[in-house]
Amino acid sequence: MPALVNYGGTDDLCSEGPLISNLMDSSCLLSIASNVDVFFPPRKRSRITAPFIFKGGEKGAEKQKQQPCSIDVLPDECLFEILRRLPGNKERSNSACVSKRWLMLLSSIRASEMAAHKKNGASSGETLKKPLPDLNTSASTDEEKEFESTGYLARKLKAKDATDVRLAAMAVGTCGHGGLGKLYIEGSNATRPVTDIGLSAVARGCPSLRVLSMWNVPFISDIGLSEIGSGCPMLEKLDLCRCPLISDKGLIAVAQKCPNLTSLMIESCLSIGNECLQAMGRCCPKLKSIVIKDCPLVGDQGVASLVSAASSFLARIRLENVNITDVSLAVIGHYGKAVADLALTGLQCVSERGFWVMGNAFGLENMKSILINSCRGVTDLGLEAIAKSCPNLKQLCLRRCCHLSDAGLKAFAMTARALENLHVEECNRISLIGVLGCLLNCNEKLRALSLVKCLGVKDISFCTAPLPSCMSLRSLTIRDCPGFTGASLAVVGKICPQLQHVDLSGLVGATDAGLLPLIESSEAGLVTVNLSGCVDLTDAVVTALVKAHGTTLQMLNLEGCKKVTDKSLLVIADSCSLLDDLDMSRCMIGDYGVAILASASQLKLRVLSLAGCSKLTQKSLPLLGNMGRSLVGLNLQNCKLISTQGIGALEEKLWWCDILY
């Protein structure tokens, strides 16, 4: 065709005269029959750039004019070869903005395919000329080029933003800006959900990916996860939650291709079973953390194989609502030499024997923290065995262990000599006698004790003999225990004179008379005090608390103490120099109390909550505006006498403060 267009015409002689004087003059273009000879004079012709082919007849010319003249007419195979030869990340990013088709083609190109093209070209003897530098841009150093693949970028997609197109754009765009290192997908778009296409684009374009977390993505299957395994060999952490189409096949592919995997979390994946856990144990020697929750196909075979194979590095095990028996706990007790954090929840098939065998295997020598929740097999015998096998145990949390009694708690406290934190929740067979026995027989390292919703913790009649002291305890939490009243508080205060953090929220039976001995017996100085829900407390106990510990108090929560008034704020403003968090929600606080706080020069509150204070009016808003630059959080919710317009003016004045209303 170029030969025809550029032909000079010196030998073009025909029998007939010229029909038109200039071929480019479209106004003179006539309909020519197929058998008509055309004569052109011997002169240099104008170069024709348009793809005109004269076949004769008007219909043929119109047909050729209708054909598009664009690179988009090329098939995907040709465009793929063109796009993978783009010189740099900037050019690839710019090309991805042309159309969705170009974006998806660019996202299908692996980094190894672009590198392989350059290597093949160099090995075949081709000399690739370097493009001339762009003087309008700054020169990139070798250091910057090396930094491109480090994978330090993190991206999070939520609900409507999670689409295949967004993932493809992310895969192409992050290549030139450090590489994608962490990707979090939470939910999926309702009309254009995330599928294997988007995840495959990430796998091809982000070889530096180290963390992948997917939550509630129902259309991603083993195909996409296998692509991640093949394209992201540096993967270290994988979290899967509510992924119904992912099965053992996809996780086996990841295990075989990602030997650096250190953390695996599987939650509510109904198609995942034992085979993938066995593969993880064989192929991932660096695995340190495993979390399996609500996976009914996971059983003893998978858990036992994984724990026994990865015993050298496995430091964290969390099993919740899985169908394992005493066998798995026996394997954990024997092979869990590196396990430091163990959480067992909802194991209905594990009996007392399982916990006893786990403790008597004496393999949990490095155990630091244990959480047992809703396990019927936990008894006094098993708990004592665990204490004997875990000499370095520092934290124990027991929740809904219905067969645990005072004897087991006391025996555990006597055996666990390194225990620092004990949390007991909804264990109704444990009484106040067991708690006191634990305090009196514990080691000198116990720092925190928490009793939450324990219906068995009730007041008892104490003897007059002097009780020993637990000098090590610094934090005491007694929350929502309706039988625990002021009489018991006085005894606890005498036993624990070094308390600094006290949480008595929800104790409806607490009174001023019961709390005063606890306040007076604290020798170290209270730092944080939570009395929310103690409806019978008055200004008298608040005044005593502030006067005794105002120099050390940093947080005070009096939410729901309806008998506390502005008098308490007057004492707080005078005595608390370190207080930065004050909650007076649903108290009898009015404008006068706010004026007292605003005028206190030594008070530097960071967070102030006055939610539900029905006596506050518009007059308090200008006073709140004078609280100072230290205030970063203000809660005025459910203050019905304060208007929205007033809140708007306050927001303009306290522009740096987060105001809830």
Side-chain angles (χ1 to χ4, degrees):
M1 184 63 187
L4 294 176
V5 174
N6 296 325
Y7 188 71
T10 54
D11 297 329
D12 295 349
L13 299 176
C14 299
S15 58
E16 301 294 334
L19 296 178
I20 55 176
S21 60
N22 188 358
L23 183 62
M24 299 304 295
D25 190 359
S26 60
S27 62
C28 300
L29 188 61
L30 303 176
S31 178
I32 307 172
S34 59
N35 58 352
V36 177
D37 294 329
V38 180
F39 170 76
F40 292 96
R43 66 187 180 203
K44 188 174 181 179
R45 307 164 86 187
S46 302
R47 183 177 179 88
I48 302 174
T49 58
F52 286 107
I53 300 177
F54 291 93
K55 295 183 179 179
E58 185 177 355
K59 293 182 180 180
E62 291 180 357
K63 184 178 181 181
Q64 296 301 323
K65 288 182 181 180
Q66 291 176 359
Q67 292 183 358
C69 303
S70 171
I71 193 173
D72 286 333
V73 301
L74 296 176
D76 290 346
E77 293 80 3
C78 295
L79 275 179
F80 180 89
E81 292 297 327
I82 294 173
L83 294 176
R84 82 183 186 97
R85 287 169 169 80
L86 292 175
N89 295 319
K90 182 178 179 181
E91 288 76 11
R92 285 191 289 272
S93 298
N94 292 338
S95 300
C97 299
V98 173
S99 64
K100 180 180 177 181
R101 181 191 178 197
W102 283 35
L103 170 63
M104 302 309 293
L105 282 173
L106 282 165
S107 66
S108 66
I109 303 174
R110 298 182 184 273
S112 59
E113 290 173 336
M114 289 182 284
H117 166 69
K118 295 180 181 179
K119 291 180 181 178
N120 295 337
S123 61
S124 61
E126 297 178 4
T127 58
L128 300 176
K129 295 183 180 180
K130 294 183 178 180
L132 294 176
D134 189 357
L135 299 179
N136 294 325
T137 59
S138 58
S140 61
T141 62
D142 295 338
E143 214 174 276
E144 292 174 349
K145 293 179 181 178
E146 293 177 0
F147 191 64
E148 288 181 357
S149 60
T150 56
Y152 76 98
L153 293 178
R155 294 291 183 268
K156 180 182 290 186
L157 298 180
K158 291 186 178 182
K160 64 179 182 180
D161 295 331
T163 61
D164 288 339
V165 175
R166 182 65 63 89
L167 286 178
M170 190 180 299
V172 176
T174 56
C175 293
H177 299 84
L180 187 64
K182 299 178 181 180
L183 176 60
Y184 304 91
I185 304 175
E186 299 179 3
S188 185
N189 190 286
T191 57
R192 295 171 296 169
V194 174
T195 64
D196 295 329
I197 297 175
L199 199 62
S200 300
V202 173
R204 298 187 189 100
C206 307
S208 60
L209 189 68
R210 299 191 308 273
V211 177
L212 175 61
S213 177
M214 296 189 295
W215 179 82
N216 194 19
V217 281
F219 296 99
I220 289 182
S221 66
D222 295 332
I223 298 175
L225 195 60
S226 300
E227 289 287 338
I228 289 291
S230 301
C232 306
M234 300 172 61
L235 191 67
E236 297 177 0
K237 182 178 180 181
L238 177 62
D239 294 347
L240 302 176
C241 179
R242 300 183 186 178
C243 302
L245 298 184
I246 293 180
S247 65
D248 290 335
K249 183 179 179 181
L251 279 175
I252 291 174
V254 171
Q256 293 174 346
K257 300 294 180 63
C258 303
N260 295 324
L261 195 69
T262 60
S263 177
L264 175 64
M265 193 277 286
I266 308 170
E267 180 179 350
S268 301
C269 296
L270 304 182
S271 302
I272 293 177
N274 295 320
E275 294 182 10
C276 65
L277 297 182
Q278 294 173 344
M280 288 288 173
R282 293 192 307 266
C283 305
C284 302
K286 299 180 181 180
L287 194 64
K288 296 180 180 180
S289 175
I290 177 72
V291 178
I292 305 175
K293 180 179 179 182
D294 297 326
C295 296
L297 298 183
V298 173
D300 290 328
Q301 187 177 3
V303 174
S305 300
L306 175 62
V307 173
S308 59
S311 60
S312 300
F313 293 93
L314 194 60
R316 181 171 178 255
I317 301 176
R318 291 183 177 269
L319 303 175
E320 182 173 349
N321 297 330
V322 292
N323 295 321
I324 62 174
T325 63
D326 300 341
V327 176
S328 295
L329 263 65
V331 173
I332 293 174
H334 182 74
Y335 290 98
K337 300 184 183 300
V339 177
D341 185 1
L342 176 63
L344 306 174
T345 302
L347 305 183
Q348 304 301 327
C349 298
V350 178
S351 64
E352 179 186 34
R353 181 182 178 184
F355 287 96
W356 184 85
V357 172
M358 182 178 70
N360 284 277
F362 294 101
L364 304 176
E365 52 194 24
N366 291 320
M367 184 68 66
K368 300 293 190 300
S369 174
I370 296 180
L371 183 147
I372 303 176
N373 185 3
S374 303
C375 295
R376 298 177 181 178
V378 178
T379 60
D380 298 343
L381 185 63
L383 189 62
E384 185 178 1
I386 292 174
K388 292 179 180 179
S389 66
C390 304
N392 298 312
L393 185 64
K394 295 183 178 180
Q395 182 175 353
L396 175 65
C397 180
L398 301 171
R399 294 175 179 169
R400 302 180 183 92
C401 298
C402 56
H403 297 296
L404 192 63
S405 66
D406 293 341
L409 189 63
K410 181 180 177 180
F412 178 84
M414 295 176 63
T415 308
R417 307 312 301 172
L419 189 66
E420 297 180 359
N421 191 328
L422 177 60
H423 182 95
V424 181
E425 182 174 348
E426 295 189 47
C427 299
N428 296 327
R429 292 189 64 187
I430 293 179
S431 66
L432 192 56
I433 296 177
V435 175
L436 294 177
C438 175
L439 291 176
L440 300 180
N441 292 279
C442 67
N443 62 85
E444 297 179 354
K445 297 181 179 179
L446 186 63
R447 296 290 186 271
L449 173 63
S450 299
L451 302 173
V452 180
K453 298 180 181 179
C454 294
L455 301 181
V457 177
K458 301 178 181 179
D459 290 341
I460 57 175
S461 57
F462 297 98
C463 60
T464 57
L467 295 173
S469 298
C470 181
M471 303 297 295
S472 61
L473 197 67
R474 297 291 185 272
S475 176
L476 176 63
T477 299
I478 304 176
R479 186 188 312 149
D480 296 325
C481 298
F484 194 88
T485 63
S488 303
L489 280 176
V491 176
V492 172
K494 294 178 181 178
I495 295 177
C496 308
Q498 299 295 325
L499 288 177
Q500 294 180 331
H501 308 278
V502 176
D503 184 355
L504 304 177
S505 56
L507 293 187
V508 293
T511 60
D512 294 353
L515 191 57
L516 283 174
L518 177 62
I519 295 173
E520 295 171 355
S521 61
S522 180
E523 301 173 359
L526 296 177
V527 178
T528 62
V529 178
N530 187 351
L531 301 175
S532 61
C534 300
V535 293
D536 290 332
L537 298 183
T538 64
D539 293 325
V541 73
V542 177
T543 301
L545 171 65
V546 171
K547 288 185 176 180
H549 306 283
T551 56
T552 59
L553 196 61
Q554 297 180 9
M555 191 278 288
L556 178 59
N557 189 339
L558 298 172
E559 180 184 1
C561 299
K562 299 181 179 180
K563 297 182 180 181
V564 175
T565 64
D566 295 337
K567 295 180 181 179
S568 296
L569 290 182
L570 182 60
V571 183
I572 291 173
D574 292 337
S575 305
C576 296
S577 57
L578 300 179
L579 189 66
D580 62 359
D581 189 343
L582 178 61
D583 192 342
M584 305 293 291
S585 301
R586 296 188 289 118
C587 295
M588 300 303 291
I589 303 299
D591 298 336
Y592 177 68
V594 175
I596 294 173
L597 291 179
S599 61
S601 59
Q602 66 171 358
L603 198 60
K604 304 295 182 183
L605 288 177
R606 297 183 66 253
V607 179
L608 174 62
S609 180
L610 300 173
C613 295
S614 57
K615 297 178 67 177
L616 288 181
T617 66
Q618 293 285 114
K619 297 179 181 179
S620 62
L621 295 181
L623 301 173
L624 291 171
N626 298 328
M627 290 293 293
R629 296 297 297 269
S630 63
L631 190 66
V632 295
L634 178 61
N635 189 353
L636 296 176
Q637 291 179 320
N638 299 321
C639 295
K640 298 181 180 180
L641 298 181
I642 297 179
S643 65
T644 306
Q645 293 79 5
I647 294 294
L650 183 62
E651 284 181 326
E652 293 181 0
K653 191 171 184 179
L654 300 178
W655 54 268
W656 64 86
C657 182
D658 186 10
I659 302 177
L660 298 178
Y661 61 93

